[in-house]
Amino acid sequence: MNIHINEQNLLNELQTLATFTNVEPAENGTAVTRIVFSPDDLRARAWLKDLATAEGFTIREDAVGNTFIRWPGTDPTLPAVATGSHTDAIPHAGMYDGTVGVLGGLEAIRALKRSGLTPRRSIELVMFTSEEPTRFGIGCLGSRLLSGTLDPERAETLTDIDESTLAQVRTAAGFTGPLASVRLPENHYHAWLELHIEQGPLLEREGIPIGIVTNIAAPASYRFTITGLGGHAGALLMPDRRDALCAAAETILSIERHALATNAIDTVATVGTCDVHPGAVNSVPSRVTLQLDIRDTDPTRRESVMRAVRRDIEDLQSRRKVTITEQLINADIPAQSSPHIVDTLEKICAAESIPYKKMVSRAYHDSLFMARIAPIAMIFIPCRNGVSHRPDEYASPANIVRGTYLLSLALAKLAAE
Ligand code: GLV
Ligand code: MN
Ligand code: MN
């Protein structure tokens, strides 16, 4: 089998996809913002479907907009082998997160087709809806629904910043039908493989071009609403204050302290948003909403951090005379890669003399949820300085091509089983 990855075409496609964005190019890279079901997301979807149609692949879209691009095998009744990722991007992101897995996946399949292979199992490319939590507050919307991890009725009522529900937004985007129909049965796929930039520094630091992911850390997210007392910034006397933002600051520092105290490199906690009401310089904050993202490879340790934070919150509620409520958005379990797919990747790397290391994914991916219905693994490629979720995110052409090449060989092997 002579596999040739068309580097120039793949890079051009990554560049084109990066133009579907509503932010101007940044000075330090290509800033991409592509929020699910925004006009840019819809344009990107249409463009991707055109690429697939041009290759003669079949396309299916489900009720939440997950898109399935299929190259039929000689036995289409067998569970398919699938690959893919996401094309949505958080505000002011880079151009490689998710997109390398979608366009690299497409190129991997095209390269197999060009090589003259006729796969036994169908090979499918999946583009998931809303891997990023930006619009509806919860990540991996499409793969959660697909794997039966998120209740479809709850999903319909998720709202965006304008209080529009998912039901309204997806319908306006042209995705109708019951969300329950998105779920796929457990034996639907024979294997799932996602190509992604590492989003961390280890591969680059160690000079290793490929990471084979053995497990994915478990994310959880919470919303804290802190209610105090507002008032005039000049006239409300300091001893009388119940400043919600000061209480929020203590909450954030408590989270940081307890996450550090586990002394485990795999415990990470981030408060990434802080909405201050009424948000005026001369007004004492009366209400603050914080969103916490906390992850660990060990969910028990993650929960112990949360218990310690809650004890601090009890104390600071009485000390600062504020009310703090906690809302759970999601608390997921970690995923393990399939030993068989990891072994398949290791053997291909050995045969092709590609250095690799086995590693943990600390970022979450749609693979976290695919693991609930299929044997999974992931291929990581290095990204410059480990940077991601920033405009200066960068993966080199050589690494993108190597990852895509490895993906194509693994898809061929798995599709022949
Ligand atoms: C995915 O984007 C993540 O936040 O891990
Ligand atoms: Mn991301
Ligand atoms: Mn991603």
Side-chain angles (χ1 to χ4, degrees), residues 10 38 47 54 62-63 72 76-77 101 123 137 143 200 218 221 241 250 265 318:
L10 176 54
S38 64
W47 172 80
D62 68 17
T77 60
I123 303 184
S143 50
S221 55
R241 291 207 181 185
E250 278 202 46
I265 195 77
S318 60

Side-chain angles (χ1 to χ4, degrees), residues 86 97 131-133 199 293 295 362-365 389:
H86 61 102
D97 174 5
E131 191 265 356
E132 302 291 5
Q199 304 184 286
D293 174 314
R295 312 178 189 204
R362 294 193 173 77
Y364 61 70
H365 303 280
H389 283 185

Side-chain angles (χ1 to χ4, degrees), residues 56-319:
F57 297 149
T58 61
I59 301 173
R60 177 176 82 86
E61 290 171 301
D62 68 17
V64 78
N66 291 321
T67 302
F68 306 84
I69 293 169
R70 183 172 276 235
W71 181 32
T74 53
D75 190 347
T77 60
L78 288 175
V81 170
T83 187
S85 197
H86 61 102
T87 55
D88 65 324
I90 66 162
H92 226 65
M95 56 172 276
Y96 299 94
D97 174 5
T99 58
V100 166
V102 173
L103 294 176
L106 180 63
E107 175 56 18
I109 300 173
R110 285 187 305 215
L112 291 175
K113 192 170 160 230
R114 286 195 299 268
S115 78
L117 178 86
T118 42
R120 180 163 172 254
R121 294 175 186 274
S122 301
I123 303 184
E124 193 162 90
L125 175 73
V126 186
M127 192 282 291
F128 292 104
T129 286
S130 199
E131 191 265 356
E132 302 291 5
T134 313
R135 184 155 189 177
F136 293 103
I138 185 164
C140 300
L141 198 49
S143 50
R144 278 178 197 275
L145 285 163
L146 189 149
S147 59
T149 311
L150 176 62
D151 175 37
E153 282 179 29
R154 181 185 160 211
E156 286 289 42
T157 62
L158 292 169
T159 50
D160 67 8
I161 198 158
D162 299 323
E163 298 297 323
S164 302
T165 61
L166 173 62
Q168 292 165 331
V169 175
R170 75 181 174 99
T171 304
F175 299 107
T176 52
L179 276 192
S181 66
V182 171
R183 187 170 183 171
L184 293 177
E186 268 190 32
N187 59 356
H188 187 76
Y189 289 120
H190 174 67
W192 166 263
L193 198 47
E194 181 171 359
L195 170 66
H196 207 282
I197 57 169
E198 181 198 346
Q199 304 184 286
L202 300 181
L203 291 175
E204 184 184 64
R205 206 174 272 169
E206 297 171 30
I208 300 174
I210 290 291
I212 299 177
V213 172
T214 51
N215 54 325
I216 306 176
S221 55
Y222 297 84
R223 184 173 294 134
F224 291 101
T225 305
I226 300 154
T227 310
L229 180 70
H232 195 287
L236 186 55
L237 300 177
M238 291 307 284
D240 297 335
R241 291 207 181 185
R242 294 160 51 200
D243 185 320
L245 187 54
C246 290
E250 278 202 46
T251 305
I252 295 168
L253 291 178
S254 156
I255 291 165
E256 183 192 45
R257 194 168 53 249
H258 293 299
L260 281 168
T262 67
N263 282 321
I265 195 77
D266 290 338
T267 312
V268 285
T270 310
V271 175
T273 70
C274 175
D275 292 324
V276 181
H277 182 83
V281 68
N282 57 351
S283 181
V284 178
S286 61
R287 192 180 65 244
V288 173
T289 309
L290 302 177
Q291 286 186 96
L292 165 65
D293 174 314
I294 177 166
R295 312 178 189 204
D296 209 311
T297 46
D298 176 356
T300 312
R301 192 167 52 203
R302 183 186 73 195
E303 195 38 50
S304 74
V305 173
M306 289 307 297
R307 277 198 301 277
V309 168
R310 287 182 195 117
R311 282 195 295 275
D312 283 357
I313 284 179
E314 282 295 309
D315 166 62
L316 86 94
Q317 287 193 108
S318 60
R319 217 170 4 92

